[in-house]
Amino acid sequence: MQLSEQELIRRETLTELKKLGIEPYPAEEYEVNVKTSDIHQHFPEDKTLYQDISIAGRIMGRRIMGAAAFIELQDSVGRIQLYFKRDDICPGEDKTMYNTVFKRFLDIGDIIGVKGFVFITQMGEITIHVREYRLLCKSLRPLPIVKEKDDKTYDAFTDPEMRYRQRYVDLIVNPQVRDIFIKRTRMVNSMREYLNVRGYLEVETPILQPLYGGAAARPFKTHHNTLDMTLYLRIANELYLKRLIVGGFDGVYEFSKDFRNEGMSRFHNPEFTQVELYVAYKDYEWMMNLVEEMVEKVAMDIHGTTKVQVGDNIIDFQRPWKRFTMFEAIEHFTGIDISEMDEVALRNTAKSVHIELDETMGKGKIIDEIFGAKCEALLIQPTFITDYPVEMSPLAKKHRSKEGLVERFEAICNGKEICNSFSELNDPIDQRERFMSQLELGKRGDEESMVLDEDFLRALEYGMPPTAGLGIGIDRLAMVMTNSPSIQEVLFFPQMRPEKKAIISKDEEFVELGIPVVWVPILRQMGINTIEELQKKSAGQIFNQLGGLRKKNKLDTPMPSQDDVKHWLGQE
RNA sequence: GACUAAGUAGCUCAGUAGGUAGAGCACAUCCCUUUUAAGGAUGGGGUCCUGGGUUCGAAUCCCAGCUUGGUCACCA
């Protein structure tokens, strides 16, 4: 691998440190007895505090002025300034630890531990006066340098490709990124706490499933060698959680990583997280109240208020949320009442509002299309949409009073679905029929239709109590709660195309061809990194370029002859 | 998958009637004992994403590809 000048210098520094007997990667524990945030919080009130502290972190900035220097130290919660004074670090005659090790061998990115006391500089900055320091880890790669003044950021590290591929760098230099992930975890903790207080049992169900079910999506497929069988990564865990309700639990939930082998976008990652919850003897009306209450609590726990800024909108999660049936929502946004329409009328209606349909779409699908095109994006404040067409919901119970509909709701917020819930279908005969009609869709080429799960049907035949089920998209909710415009911002390691690795031949391989070592870097300078690339060139071209670069680099080495070059290329 | 924008130094970015590649930060060597996106002096650092083409000459124009972003499609 080609190292940049700065990387080479840091590797040399490493060698120099070892020569001085300084271990750049020490093994022993470094005692840390305070965090930067503690000092910033308590020192201003009581100046007698923190007079003998030990703290560790990463060097994020250096300002060196002769015999004194200031360092920006960053730990897991923030930053603090360090003050180094030569005669404090090196009280005796030997000033190596300051002049050489500190000033020359420490870089931005290195991790150090320091002991000292806190004071306030003339500029009013809370600062640690360092009495002694210890190198804890030498960093070999230069970090992007982000600077700030008066809330203005200079040279921000923003390239999305690098931020996502090298999330560790993103986390080091962009503190707001760390905040997003802390909020995400607090969000999950808040929900878990809510569910635990109510006595629901957190469970784990298989990720590797012999049949994929519980949603309509294409799966990832894999293979188990010993059993010699196909397994799928789950697209949902719904059918397993319902089996547990059959087994007698009153309420079960799981934060579940699910996998869908489909397109990627600002809102879709191949693996994503949902929490699914099933509660026996409840229905979807009851579940709506739970969702309102839980999400309101989440907003309060994260922000201390129910109002959350998302893009240009302020979204208020305070209960109660607006509720629309799907028909009401469509009428509200289009002025058209479709509740009594047959398929022909629906088709004409869709056409009149410029929605493209294809022939395979049935009544339910057309209604869903109209809703998706005309309503969803306009629902900014949290809103429940209820009573969906039965065709779209093969696992939901038929509506108690409305023909052709199911007892299902989604919560829409900022124009996107954040949860999906229904009164679960527990009639095994009806469930089998629904699966059968899904199979029909599959035969017609719908790759996302559901497959028949005989074991699940067997469980339903033993009897599942009336149950309310819920799925909340954790990533989507995290996007809303952290005001993040894309799902990649709320996933530590979003899926990316593989990084292409430059293939580079080793120096020795060039030398083996008879090329003197001094010329190898020159060849690399010409853009030739592999033997293959070299052998594609013509000897004359190489010879000419060598001459040019020899002059440019002011090399004393005598030029090889054109025959030598031919020999290197094996072109004799 | 379609359309579109971008890809230049470690980082952020300039750079057209095609004509020797620039700045700030970072880095190196100095100066400076409480500074703060420190300052000053000097210096090093670039297959201008890759491959073709046009041209005497391409970072720049054309074509193809790669990667990333955006929009749409797909994702009930």
Side-chain angles (χ1 to χ4, degrees):
Chain A
M1 202 184 71
Q2 287 286 71
L3 295 176
S4 70
E5 185 195 19
Q6 291 187 43
E7 289 171 302
L8 288 169
I9 289 169
R10 289 196 180 200
R11 279 168 156 78
E12 282 165 24
T13 301
L14 200 64
T15 317
E16 295 294 323
L17 281 166
K18 285 179 183 160
K19 275 190 202 162
L20 285 173
I22 294 167
E23 170 54 54
Y25 304 102
E28 57 269 35
E29 173 188 8
Y30 191 85
E31 187 213 348
V32 172
N33 59 22
V34 69
K35 298 231 178 215
T36 55
S37 56
D38 302 332
I39 299 171
H40 287 301
Q41 205 179 337
H42 301 299
F43 186 76
E45 292 161 20
D46 184 352
K47 304 284 195 297
T48 64
L49 294 172
Y50 306 120
Q51 293 308 294
D52 186 14
I53 61 164
S54 180
I55 192 168
R58 194 184 291 273
I59 298 175
M60 296 304 287
R62 303 199 304 157
R63 297 181 285 277
I64 294 176
M65 304 151 298
F70 294 89
I71 295 289
E72 288 289 326
L73 189 80
Q74 174 170 291
D75 71 2
S76 63
V77 288
R79 289 189 182 189
I80 194 158
Q81 175 167 271
L82 308 181
Y83 173 62
F84 282 71
K85 192 172 164 189
R86 177 163 57 205
D87 296 336
D88 285 1
I89 302 297
C90 306
E93 285 303 304
D94 182 4
K95 304 295 184 193
T96 310
M97 276 304 278
Y98 183 85
N99 285 342
T100 308
V101 178
F102 172 73
K103 276 168 72 177
R104 288 188 48 224
F105 292 167
L106 287 194
D107 289 295
I108 291 173
D110 290 351
I111 296 168
I112 59 170
V114 303
K115 295 186 199 305
F117 60 90
V118 177
F119 74 108
I120 295 185
T121 65
Q122 289 172 12
M123 298 298 290
E125 179 84 16
I126 295 176
T127 301
I128 300 173
H129 188 125
V130 176
R131 290 204 183 94
E132 55 176 284
Y133 73 95
R134 168 114 201 242
L135 177 62
L136 299 178
C137 174
K138 181 73 201 159
S139 164
L140 296 182
R141 279 178 189 263
L143 284 173
I145 308 292
V146 179
K147 294 192 172 177
E148 275 180 37
K149 191 189 186 183
D150 302 332
D151 286 337
K152 267 174 77 179
T153 302
Y154 299 81
D155 299 336
F157 177 66
T158 54
D159 178 32
E161 179 165 8
M162 269 204 286
R163 285 189 49 227
Y164 302 148
R165 282 196 201 282
Q166 302 186 41
R167 180 68 89 183
Y168 34 90
V169 175
D170 194 28
L171 288 164
I172 292 170
V173 304
N174 290 327
Q176 69 281 12
V177 172
R178 188 168 46 198
D179 284 347
I180 286 175
F181 288 100
I182 291 171
K183 282 191 182 125
R184 181 184 168 123
T185 296
R186 275 169 42 198
M187 178 181 104
V188 170
N189 288 346
S190 171
M191 296 171 90
R192 184 171 273 130
E193 181 185 87
Y194 178 94
L195 297 170
N196 286 345
V197 162
R198 279 152 189 78
Y200 307 137
L201 188 70
E202 182 165 16
V203 298
E204 292 180 280
T205 62
I207 293 172
L208 287 173
Q209 302 181 347
L211 290 170
Y212 55 96
R218 275 177 288 165
F220 287 92
K221 195 173 169 181
T222 185
H223 185 262
H224 189 277
N225 290 341
T226 300
L227 296 176
D228 189 22
M229 70 183 289
T230 297
L231 287 170
Y232 301 92
L233 273 63
R234 69 179 167 203
I235 57 174
N237 54 357
E238 171 157 354
L239 303 186
Y240 283 92
L241 292 178
K242 285 189 201 168
R243 285 172 169 97
L244 297 179
I245 296 295
V246 171
F249 291 105
D250 268 343
V252 289
Y253 73 93
E254 179 176 16
F255 284 91
S256 144
K257 210 53 167 317
D258 294 340
F259 306 83
R260 296 188 183 175
N261 204 342
E262 293 175 338
M264 289 165 60
S265 79
R266 197 152 71 86
F267 296 100
H268 300 85
N269 194 67
E271 57 181 284
F272 64 101
T273 306
Q274 292 196 86
V275 60
E276 290 199 34
L277 166 71
Y278 293 83
V279 183
Y281 310 115
K282 305 298 184 188
D283 65 2
Y284 78 136
E285 296 278 356
W286 177 88
M287 189 63 92
M288 253 185 277
N289 296 328
L290 180 143
V291 169
E292 275 179 338
E293 194 176 32
M294 180 162 68
V295 176
E296 184 190 67
K297 165 177 149 54
V298 164
M300 285 300 291
D301 285 350
I302 296 178
H303 297 287
T305 165
T306 57
K307 295 184 173 68
V308 180
Q309 178 89 38
V310 182
D312 296 331
N313 302 310
I314 290 179
I315 295 182
D316 191 347
F317 289 98
Q318 176 147 35
R319 289 178 287 166
W321 299 354
K322 188 147 190 65
R323 296 183 188 195
F324 274 135
T325 66
M326 186 169 254
F327 290 149
E328 285 167 355
I330 289 171
E331 186 170 1
H332 182 263
F333 286 107
T334 65
I336 303 168
D337 177 7
I338 61 166
S339 58
E340 304 295 326
M341 287 185 183
D342 59 14
E343 185 171 332
V344 177
L346 282 170
R347 276 188 183 276
N348 291 334
T349 303
K351 208 172 289 177
S352 75
V353 292
H354 311 292
I355 294 169
E356 287 189 29
L357 301 175
D358 66 56
E359 289 309 308
T360 66
M361 289 178 181
K363 201 174 154 182
K365 180 75 181 163
I366 295 170
I367 294 170
D368 191 63
E369 287 288 318
I370 295 172
F371 177 77
K374 293 292 161 190
C375 308
E376 194 169 4
L378 301 172
L379 293 165
I380 301 303
Q381 295 302 324
T383 306
F384 288 116
I385 302 297
T386 63
D387 301 345
Y388 282 63
V390 64
E391 296 92 327
M392 315 298 297
S393 315
L395 300 167
K397 187 177 270 191
K398 280 178 182 150
H399 198 281
R400 60 195 77 180
S401 61
K402 297 176 185 168
E403 186 67 24
L405 301 181
V406 290
E407 297 205 345
R408 170 178 173 184
F409 72 85
E410 291 189 359
I412 314 280
C413 167
N414 204 37
K416 281 279 165 187
E417 170 196 341
I418 56 170
C419 83
N420 184 15
S421 168
F422 18 90
S423 301
E424 299 297 332
L425 178 54
N426 64 343
D427 173 346
I429 308 292
D430 188 1
Q431 182 67 79
R432 183 175 292 276
E433 284 166 7
R434 304 275 195 100
F435 275 139
M436 294 313 283
S437 59
Q438 287 289 310
L439 288 181
E440 285 303 312
L441 289 174
K443 280 184 197 152
R444 277 196 267 151
D446 185 345
E447 291 183 84
E448 285 157 358
S449 65
M450 291 187 190
V451 293
L452 186 93
D453 187 335
E454 278 295 349
D455 177 70
F456 174 65
L457 288 171
R458 179 167 64 192
L460 286 192
E461 285 165 10
Y462 282 104
M464 180 174 84
T467 297
L470 167 72
I472 297 182
I474 294 296
D475 312 287
R476 297 279 179 84
L477 189 60
M479 286 169 67
V480 171
M481 289 294 173
T482 62
N483 190 15
S484 298
S486 86
I487 198 167
Q488 293 159 309
E489 294 293 334
V490 299
L491 297 170
F492 272 126
F493 303 104
Q495 192 57 242
M496 302 286 278
R497 280 205 167 73
E499 219 172 336
K500 59 175 177 196
K501 280 185 201 148
I503 302 161
I504 292 177
S505 301
K506 290 178 182 164
D507 285 8
E508 295 82 65
E509 295 179 60
F510 286 100
V511 173
E512 275 168 28
L513 296 175
I515 301 168
V517 183
V518 282
W519 292 109
V520 175
I522 305 297
L523 289 172
R524 295 202 193 277
Q525 208 173 341
M526 285 161 57
I528 298 171
N529 280 312
T530 65
I531 304 295
E532 199 182 11
E533 282 169 349
L534 176 70
Q535 288 171 340
K536 271 194 287 186
K537 302 272 183 183
S538 80
Q541 192 188 0
I542 300 266
F543 181 75
N544 285 340
Q545 290 186 19
L546 282 179
L549 288 169
R550 178 171 172 269
K551 198 182 275 179
K552 190 181 170 191
N553 291 324
K554 298 184 180 114
L555 284 186
D556 288 334
T557 322
M559 271 300 284
S561 72
Q562 200 151 354
D563 284 341
D564 289 338
V565 176
K566 278 185 185 167
H567 177 70
W568 299 352
L569 304 193
Q571 296 174 359
E572 288 161 285

